Each structure stands twice: as C-alpha cells, then as structure tokens.
Amino acid sequence: MSPAGDAAAALKELPDGRLFIGGEWRAGRGAEIDSHFSADGSLNRTLRGASAEDADEAIARAQAAQADPAWRDLLPHQRARHLYAIADGIERNADRIARIQSRDTGKTLTETRALAASAAGTFRYFGAVAETMDEALTARRGSALTMSVHEPLGVVAAITPWNSPIASDAQKLAPALAAGNAVILKPASWSPLTALELARITEAAGLPPGLLSVLPGSGREIGNLLVEHPDIAKVSFTGGTETGRALAVKAAEKLMPVSLELGGKSPAIVFADADVAQAISGVLFGIFSSTGQSCIAGSRLFVEGAIYNEFVERLVAATKALRIGHPFDPATQVAPLIHPDHRAAVAAHVARARDDGAEVLTGAAPPEGADFARGAYYRPTILAGLDNTAPLCREEVFGPVLAVLPFEDEAEVIAQANDNPYGLAAGIWTRDFPRAWRVGRALKAGTVWINTYKQFSISTPFGGDGASGIGREKGRQGLLAYTAQKGLYADLTGAPHPWAGPV
Ligand code: NAP
C-alpha cells in the first residue's frame, strides 16, 4: 500500500475522541485538544480533554475499583491473567495501534510496530513477574514468624510524554496493575490518541471498569491536579527534567513517592581501535533514529583524535545518505518531528550553537522539496567545533542534532562524558573489552551500551542518574516500585506476652 493509502486507513481507525473516565467512554469537559499528523499538518482529531471534575470522578472510581474485593483479593496468578489478556489484545491490534501511533507522533510505522510489540511484551512480562514474585520469610530475632510482604499503593497516576506513548504507557500501567493498583493515565497533549486506543484494548480484555482511566488534558492543569490530589498515592512520570523537578517538589509536600524518568544528553565514545563500520552505524542509530526524539539519544559524540578526521568524514557521508521520508513509507529512516513548534525549538538550539561558533558539517535546515513542505521535517544535523561546556552540549535538544568532539585519552573522555547534569545512557565502541568494562563502570549513566546502542530488554532495569531522574523501571524490581513494603510478625508461641504479667 502507498504511504498515502496507509495514512488514509489510519485516519479512519483513529479513536473517536471520547475519553475513558472511570470505565465509561464520554466526551471530556475540559479544553479542546487538537491532534495533528506531523507529516503533513492534517488534523487527526479534535477532542475535549478532561476537566477537573472528570479527574475527580476518575480518581473516585479508581479508588472504589482498587478496593473492590473482585480486584483487591485476586491472587497474583489471577491478576496476571488480566495482564496476559491485555498483551494478547495489543498483539491482535498491533498493526492498528502502530498506525494510530504513527499518526499521533509522526514516527515511522516500522518503529511504532516495534513499540506495539514491546508494549505487549511488557504486559506479559509483568504478568509473569506478578505470579512468580516471592514474599519473604525474614530472619527471626524472637518468637514471632517474621515476613516481608508488598501491598498495592492504591491509585497511581502515570504521566507520560509524546515520543513513544505506547511504550512509556505500558511501562507504567503493566507493573502498576500487576501490583494490584488502579491507574489514572495522563498522556501528552501532542499525542493523546494512542493511550485511548490502549484503554479500548484493556476494556476489551476484561479489565474491571474504573481500574484504568485515560485523561488527556493540559499538563499544567490535569497533570498538576493529579500530582496534588490527596487520593493519588504515587506519580510515575516520564518527561522533561524541568517538569519532573517541579513535580517532585509538589510530591515532597505531600510526602508522596515519585518515579522520574527524565531527559538525557548521552555521550557516545569511539576509541581509535573500534570497528569503524560498527561504530558509525551505532552512532547513527543512537542519535538519528526516532528523529532524535529519544531520551537516550547519543547526542554528544567523542571520537579519539587518531581517527577523528576519517571517522567524522565517513559519519557525515553516511548521515547525508539517510532516507528522510513519510512515516508510512517502509524505506524511511528519518521521519518528521512531532510538531512544527518542536521543530522550531530544535532549530533554535542549532541557531544558538552556530552563534557559539559551531561548524555545520551537515543538516541544520529542513529538507527541501514538495514532499516535505507541509511536514515538521528537519535534516539530521552534525555540528563540530563546540566545547563540551557549550549550551548545545549541556542541554537536551530532543531532535536529530549531534555534536562531535575529539578526545585524547581514556581519563579525559570519562571526565568530559561525566561533566554534564544528565546521566541517562552512554555508548562505548572499542575492541578492547577490559577498557570497555573500565569506562562503562566509570560513566555516570543508568544504561551503558558496548559496541551497540539503544538495545533494550524488559528484564533489565532502566532509569537515570542526576538530572535524568530518580528510580528504575523494568526488571523484576520494577513491580516493587508500585508497592508499599510491609513487615509482618506472627506469634508462634500461643502464650501471653510475659511483660504484662498474669492477666
Ligand atoms: P514534558 O513537557 O515534561 O511533558 C511530559 C508530560 O508531563 C506530558 O503529559 C505533559 O502534559 C505533562 N506535564 C506538563 N507540565 C506538567 C505539570 N506541571 N504537572 C504535571 N504534568 C505536567 O515532556 P515532553 O516534551 O512531553 O517529553 C519530552 C521529554 O521526555 C524529554 O525531556 C525526554 O528526554 C523525556 N523522556 C524521558 C524518558 C526516560 O525514560 N527517561 C523517556 C521518554 C522521554 P502536556 O503534554 O499537556 O504538557
């Protein structure tokens, strides 16, 4: 099918714009939200977002659904069945949800199909974790049997960004539900449709009504209301560092736990002994896939001096050969950005870098031609001549912009890579494994890739240090982030407590 044909099919199957509030589908009572297809600027849907009353209602229903013995008293293997049914539903609808997500975000269908598959895997994994997670008998120090158990928190708010909605939504919903909570999901205003489709799938999979509500709406209003609401027991947030920091301050006032998956400015480090073809392909994928709109984008490239000129020359040539195109064209490697406003923000970062003395090796402008005229496209961009302390090397651009910097030795590159507020991810290319190990252990990063980039396993914890956040998602421990740990002591003697004397 042609890209235009796929796009037309996707338009027809978009969610109808009603919200999922406390188990019911109805129009929101809040402000209008326009969702656009960033490949051509066409309107996907106008929907009414959630109002404060909608949010209050969703939270009250979530509390009731969470406390209902029909959910609260499920045994872990019974709760797991709900997660498996949702995973099956996502898989059955994978093509449809991929097309919706591509219209919602402008991402390539190739990528949104992979994200849908990974979301299904996330639900299946946390179902399996729920039914295999042990509770512990702990070492006794007296006559009582001592145990450590985990309880659900209650109603959890999940606040997610626009760049990979189905994946970030699943990463929060699956462990939160597996642990026995109810969830209020607030998707980003630029991509409200994918989460609504996910809600339809959970409903069809038989998740009891009220356990999930999906409330598109302004972050400053609805997101903030969720954070401040006395009946929200935890906020799990993925998004920008400034938003996360402000949210954490409010959470502290409430003494409410938060998980924060925030931004990044990740270093990619290429040593002179690296396999150059492997390194170039990894660096390209690390920064330019998803058009750079990835928290883990490897946006600062350090290349060892001995190979710097040759490496950068080949990298630039390979970058120029990347296929920029329509999200529905299977040949496309670089699709449009999410929104024209975001393209303007990316361009502003590049303009300031040029003022700071950056040399443009390629890109730094939208592509030319009729195919790109109405879309939010931006060419993959490589900048040289900046210092690691320049704003472009310190601030997250969240677009297809790479800064290249030379280095001379291992200690220097570790110091430069770590000289940044963020600590989300890093990549190292070398044939010297002991060196990769040393450098990998020394880098300030939640994830380090060696001779590869952007590989993921749901079994491996993910998260950031410093300005990149607090907490870890994924992995068996990821479920525990949605629980309250409890110590339980049960008397084994059957005797009255001696302290009280005869009673
Ligand atoms: P954002 O502006 O921080 O928004 C994220 C979410 O927070 C959206 O749903 C937003 O709603 C909401 N929000 C905004 N202000 C809020 C407030 N005052 N209180 C509560 N919620 C509020 O981030 P974004 O631009 O959508 O996403 C890009 C950022 O996400 C980048 O920094 C990227 O690195 C980060 N990210 C991190 C990870 C990770 O795992 N570490 C993964 C993906 C993305 P509105 O859309 O209505 O404003």
Side-chain angles (χ1 to χ4, degrees), residues 318-405:
T319 301
K320 287 179 176 166
L322 291 173
R323 289 181 300 273
I324 306 174
H326 194 281
F328 290 92
D329 182 343
T332 295
Q333 291 165 291
V334 182
L337 293 160
I338 176 91
H339 197 279
D341 290 354
H342 186 53
R343 178 173 66 178
V346 170
H349 277 283
V350 173
R352 190 174 56 171
R354 293 176 96 156
D355 289 345
D356 290 341
E359 179 192 354
V360 176
L361 302 184
T362 184
E368 289 172 3
D371 287 350
F372 305 116
R374 289 179 301 135
Y377 291 91
Y378 196 77
R379 283 171 54 203
T381 298
I382 301 182
L383 305 174
L386 288 169
D387 189 84
N388 186 43
T389 55
L392 189 102
C393 295
R394 291 192 75 74
E395 297 168 9
E396 185 182 43
V397 174
F398 218 57
V401 181
L402 177 68
V404 292
L405 305 101

Side-chain angles (χ1 to χ4, degrees), residues 160-162 186 189 219 237-240 243 261-263 295 396 398 462:
T160 54
W162 43 259
K186 197 215 84 66
S189 297
F237 173 81
T238 299
T243 318
E261 298 285 350
L262 309 178
C295 52
E396 185 182 43
F398 218 57
F462 175 80

Side-chain angles (χ1 to χ4, degrees), residues 159-164 168 171 186-191 217-225 227 237-244 246-247 250 260-264 293-296 342 396 398 422 424 462-464 468 473:
I159 302 180
T160 54
W162 43 259
N163 62 320
S164 300
S168 32
Q171 240 161 266
K186 197 215 84 66
S189 297
W190 276 349
S191 61
S218 132
R220 258 172 286 164
E221 190 200 341
I222 298 303
N224 189 49
L225 181 153
V227 175
F237 173 81
T238 299
T241 297
E242 287 320 310
T243 318
L247 188 155
K250 299 209 160 147
L260 302 174
E261 298 285 350
L262 309 178
Q293 300 165 115
S294 169
C295 52
I296 47 175
H342 186 53
E396 185 182 43
F398 218 57
Y422 294 104
L424 193 57
F462 175 80
S468 294
E473 293 190 316

